[in-house]
Amino acid sequence: MERFTVKGHRVCPLPVPGELADLVPRIHEVDWPTWLDPGPRMLRDVLDLSRLLTARSLAALSWLALGDQPANLDWLWTRRRLTGPRQERMYGAAAAVPDPVLALVVADWTWVLGTAYGGRVTAPYLAGAAYPRVGHQAAHATMTLYQTYDRHPDARPAIAAAWAASRVTADWCKAAELHAAYGSEAPVFAYPRGAIPASTGLRPWMERLFRLR
């Protein structure tokens, strides 16, 4: 059963059960690198973590939108590279995100890729949400993500995907809280949709999770 209403391009969540809302802060917690290494290892870690956070956030978004979640979530909290059965289970959950809800994520993703300030938008949000209680780690991770975004154009779609999926998941809960507090519908905030990026940096997992093919 869908837990939202749609009015034009506006998606308005119904109130979210507490146990579902409690998942959202933990979803953001991934081990972003806190060092700056010009070699391939750091870039590979950032790309792998971007895919993990995107898939994890979309899985949670599907439960928020449909009001359901599995009883056992141990597979969701892995911090290792996303492969094998864990990957397919997470991708399967993400595939249940309703089209109007996924459109919010794609809109934010394309918007941030189209702005000259993408690194400044994505880096502090991702780092701050991943390390909410450790300020120095958040600061170092912010610089790592910002400089990776700035120096590696092919990594931008992946970092932007992680930001968009996790941001919409958090904004969904904020809109649902407003509904619960005031009794009237509140839409999930979304930026204006831009153009789908060129093939540079556009990986198969993005095409699958965002239903671009």
Side-chain angles (χ1 to χ4, degrees):
M1 177 181 175
E2 293 181 344
R3 299 284 301 166
F4 63 92
T5 60
V6 179
K7 296 181 178 180
H9 296 292
R10 293 155 55 95
V11 178
C12 304
L14 298 178
V16 173
E19 62 272 16
L20 264 176
D22 290 343
L23 297 178
V24 175
R26 188 177 176 188
I27 284 163
H28 288 68
E29 295 181 4
V30 297
D31 298 323
W32 295 114
T34 55
W35 72 94
L36 193 62
D37 181 354
R41 177 188 171 190
M42 190 204 71
L43 181 59
R44 183 176 64 249
D45 285 347
V46 168
L47 293 175
D48 285 344
L49 288 170
S50 294
R51 182 163 68 99
L52 171 62
L53 182 55
T54 303
R56 181 193 285 176
S57 298
L58 289 175
L61 191 57
S62 73
W63 303 328
L64 290 168
L66 300 175
D68 192 15
Q69 72 178 78
N72 180 6
L73 291 176
D74 291 344
W75 53 275
L76 189 68
W77 307 125
T78 175
R79 298 195 178 199
R80 301 187 302 275
R81 186 176 183 182
L82 197 57
T83 57
R86 288 182 296 108
Q87 172 180 299
E88 291 309 309
R89 193 168 186 179
M90 212 172 291
Y91 280 16
V97 176
D99 288 339
V101 179
L102 184 63
L104 301 174
V105 180
V106 176
D108 281 5
W109 178 59
T110 56
W111 173 86
V112 83
L113 287 172
T115 178
Y117 305 105
R120 299 181 190 180
V121 172
T122 57
Y125 179 86
L126 292 172
Y131 302 108
R133 293 168 293 276
V134 190
H136 70 277
Q137 282 186 295
H140 288 303
T142 296
M143 290 308 301
T144 298
L145 286 165
Y146 173 75
Q147 294 192 38
T148 301
Y149 195 99
D150 185 57
R151 297 177 182 180
H152 298 277
D154 59 332
R156 291 173 188 171
I159 297 172
W163 171 82
S166 58
R167 166 94 189 220
V168 170
T169 303
D171 286 348
W172 185 281
C173 290
K174 293 177 183 177
E177 287 174 6
L178 289 173
H179 189 166
Y182 298 103
S184 58
E185 295 180 335
V188 181
F189 175 81
Y191 288 97
R193 177 167 176 161
I196 300 297
S199 59
T200 302
L202 192 61
R203 291 168 170 79
W205 63 264
M206 298 176 210
E207 295 180 334
R208 178 175 176 180
L209 290 175
F210 289 166
R211 301 174 201 158
L212 303 178
R213 56 181 172 87

